[in-house]
Amino acid sequence: MPMKSYIGLALCLLLFAACSQKPAGDKEAALNYKADSVLKLMTLQEKIGQMVLYTSDWDVTGPTIRSSYLDDIKKGNCGNIFNAHTVAYVRTLQKAAVEESRLGIPLLFGYDVIHGYKTIFPISLGEACSWDLAAIEKSARVSAIEAAASGLNWTFAPMVDISVEPRWGRVSEGAGEDPYLGSCIATARVKGFQGTDLADTSTILACVKHFAAYGAPLAGRDYNTVDMSRRVFLDTYLPPYKAAIEAGAGSVMTSFNELDGVPATGSKALLTDLLRKELGFKGIVVTDYTAINEMVNHGIVANEEEAGALALNAGVDMDMQGEIFFKYLEKQVKAGSVKVKQIDDAVRRILRVKFELGLFDDPYKYCSEAREKANVYSKENLEAALDVAKRSLVLLKNDNQALPLRKGDKIAVIGELAASKRDLLGSWIAAGQWENIPSLLDAMETYQGDILYAEGCKKMGDDRTGFAEALRTAAKADKIVLVIGESCDWCGEASSRSDIHVPGVQTELLAELNKLGKPVVVVLMNGRPLDLSREESLADALLETWFAGSMGGEAITQVLYGEYNPSGKLTMSFPRNIGQVPIFYYEKNTGRPIYLPNDKYKSKYIDVPNDPLFPFGFGLSYTTFEYSNLQLSDTLLSNGGSLKATVQVKNTGKVKGEEVIQWYIRDLVGSVTRPVKELKGFQKMELNPGESRTVAFTLTPDKLAFHRIDMSFGTEPGEFLVFVGGNSSDVMQKRFQLR
Ligand code: BGC
């Protein structure tokens, strides 16, 4: 061992001894005490090193600025690494930090474990469509177990950005358009990643992103300006971040966008006044990838040095990949433009998290080859992925009993995506591997044996030369399954689209197949709501499968053949065309609502209806559900009281199925105008054929609160409607009053 390492180790021992003397008092005080005992030993340069996060050269999502990260670690210039994983590699880097840096402070290892580490679950938008919080939490739990077993202790998830923008490719990473559902899912994901104890070796630190309002870029173009009223921000966009923080998320990532003229990464109003003071967030604020540097391009500062000061003063603790804190903070302290106290505060927060993770007790606690072997890509994890995948699929149309397929049917499968393995995984696939997973075609062949297949056309481009063979193949079959959609890299970051049709000539092929007069089932793979107007008119059945993950092929097969009755419901509205975007169910009534009797002067299009093709909350099943007898325990709700709404839900079909019962409210008159509907509760429930159940929902005043005219948060007395139904547009309603 080189001399330097011995010095490092000796200092480590001293440091651990200091840390183990816990003061009396609460957990907070104990953490601060431990962090402060380390802080006392640190030079300014070492402190700044803790505020630095560099990517390894394994994976990047932007330019790689420094290739010398190993050196930086040893010199104490870099306290955190991302995009490095596997036990072997993490151990090498951790060893450099612990044994070769002067103080031996362990590294955080971050990675974008968004919908799985190696076992890939459906893309987050797909998972959200399960409306199954237990399944979503399980997905995050399994992802954490795998990531933690492979050396990681931090994920850059959950992404909780609300979005009503299908043009924006990153809708695939979130939960959709709704603040209430988004909040429930944010909570489930944080719980799944972090468990109940961060020090447990199967949990990892969550990072809520992107703070804030990144999901509303103008015109759906990634990284574009965000401009919204404060009221919309507080009522619609903020709730999921808030929920994730209340669930205990230990870190928050700033967003690339500006909000109200200030880039989020330099916004004191967002990062300090709102996040820390109002929401009480105590964890780490990390920037997005080079987001400090980008403030120069935003035009909020003249140069990178100023950008660094702006970010620190706003409340940023850690600079992801930008090199700005590394290059300028020391100089700025000397010049007096930033204070050592600010640096100490940031470093204390970072060290606290390292203590909470237990890294000071055992820096190699995430580095067990045995655990890696046992926990990553296990049979059990794949089963969990299959379960969530089945629940995420949304049946959008099913005429003429096109589905389910029967084993005896002669099936022709058409489309490049049917045979694709890579696309099934979607974007952000971490360590996901597709080479050995079954494609949809493989899974259908395994299930049924004799499947006919022709590619027909590619998912992109205008080559029609495969049409003839596809038509010949389809002509031999009883039913046609056409698999079309987007390429997996058409969703996620930097994948905005101005046209949300199914790309290429895939729909043309559908039109040709339709002429054969046989039932055509369209299986869609895509990462955003698409304009499916044409597909809807041409297909007998439409099954939205998103990018369903490692077990996607099998999950889709099970749904196609009725082994699993689809139960997913959309969490984003699907427009009739791009011109309707943004479209979302919680719109306002306007002064000239569509239902007015006159023909022209009202809020409508002259060329397309106002409503979406498929509304929020919509999804069919192989059975049918009937709602009846909506009752309220009272028509008056008093402050501090509650009201019970009940409804009878019956499975009126022939097979067992799950229904998502959705409860909405409307505040009829407010000091500011209120949405025509707001989701406030839901239950997912399985019913046998003929079975009927009374489902209850408790209405309490807090569910009716909003930001009033004076921006205070609370309720206003008056008339309300409560709605219940199987989607946001087919509902029953009752009136009540809040006193
Ligand atoms: C993305 C983040 C991601 C980060 C690190 C950025 O480009 O916006 O969501 O966590 O890269 O990979």
Side-chain angles (χ1 to χ4, degrees), residues 656-686:
K656 180 170 83 173
E658 287 158 90
E659 170 70 331
V660 180
I661 296 124
Q662 303 161 42
W663 298 91
Y664 299 86
I665 62 112
R666 174 170 178 189
D667 185 348
L668 288 166
V669 180
S671 58
V672 292
T673 59
R674 308 289 302 123
V676 294
K677 270 188 202 113
E678 293 174 272
L679 182 75
K680 292 293 170 182
F682 62 91
Q683 294 109 337
K684 190 164 186 174
M685 170 171 302
E686 186 172 75

Side-chain angles (χ1 to χ4, degrees), residues 61-62 82-83 112 114 156 170 173 209-210 214 223 253 256 288-289 320 428 493:
T61 49
F82 69 118
N83 294 337
D112 290 282
I114 308 294
F156 302 136
R170 301 199 80 170
E173 297 171 51
K209 70 187 191 185
H210 306 82
Y214 182 42
Y223 318 124
M253 186 186 293
F256 288 125
D288 203 342
Y289 206 108
M320 185 196 286
W428 291 118
E493 190 173 354

Side-chain angles (χ1 to χ4, degrees), residues 247-383:
S251 67
V252 167
M253 186 186 293
T254 69
S255 54
F256 288 125
N257 58 283
E258 68 165 70
L259 186 60
D260 199 16
V262 182
T265 305
S267 171
K268 188 163 179 290
L270 272 183
L271 305 181
T272 298
D273 302 343
L274 176 59
L275 182 64
R276 291 215 186 275
K277 293 194 183 145
E278 231 180 289
L279 304 183
F281 177 66
K282 298 215 160 50
I284 308 174
V285 174
V286 61
T287 71
D288 203 342
Y289 206 108
T290 61
I292 303 184
N293 317 48
E294 291 166 25
M295 289 203 285
V296 178
N297 292 341
H298 275 286
I300 195 87
V301 283
N303 54 48
E304 291 189 337
E305 187 172 342
E306 283 179 22
L310 184 66
L312 185 77
N313 291 330
V316 168
D317 299 321
M318 197 184 285
D319 173 5
M320 185 196 286
Q321 190 58 13
E323 244 191 357
I324 301 288
F325 282 179
F326 169 76
K327 283 210 283 217
Y328 303 110
L329 278 192
E330 198 165 348
K331 185 170 152 206
Q332 283 168 335
V333 169
K334 286 179 186 145
S337 56
V338 305
K339 297 191 183 62
V340 175
K341 160 137 189 359
Q342 287 170 281
I343 292 181
D344 283 352
D345 289 346
V347 177
R348 182 178 302 111
R349 288 190 280 260
I350 294 162
L351 293 173
R352 280 164 48 129
V353 163
K354 294 187 177 185
F355 274 108
E356 278 189 282
L357 285 164
L359 288 170
F360 279 100
D361 296 325
D362 178 5
Y364 303 108
K365 59 186 290 193
Y366 299 93
C367 296
S368 149
E369 267 92 1
R371 219 173 45 234
E372 184 171 45
K373 198 151 175 261
N375 288 354
V376 178
Y377 214 58
S378 66
K379 194 163 160 274
E380 197 189 336
N381 296 355
L382 287 165
E383 267 161 25

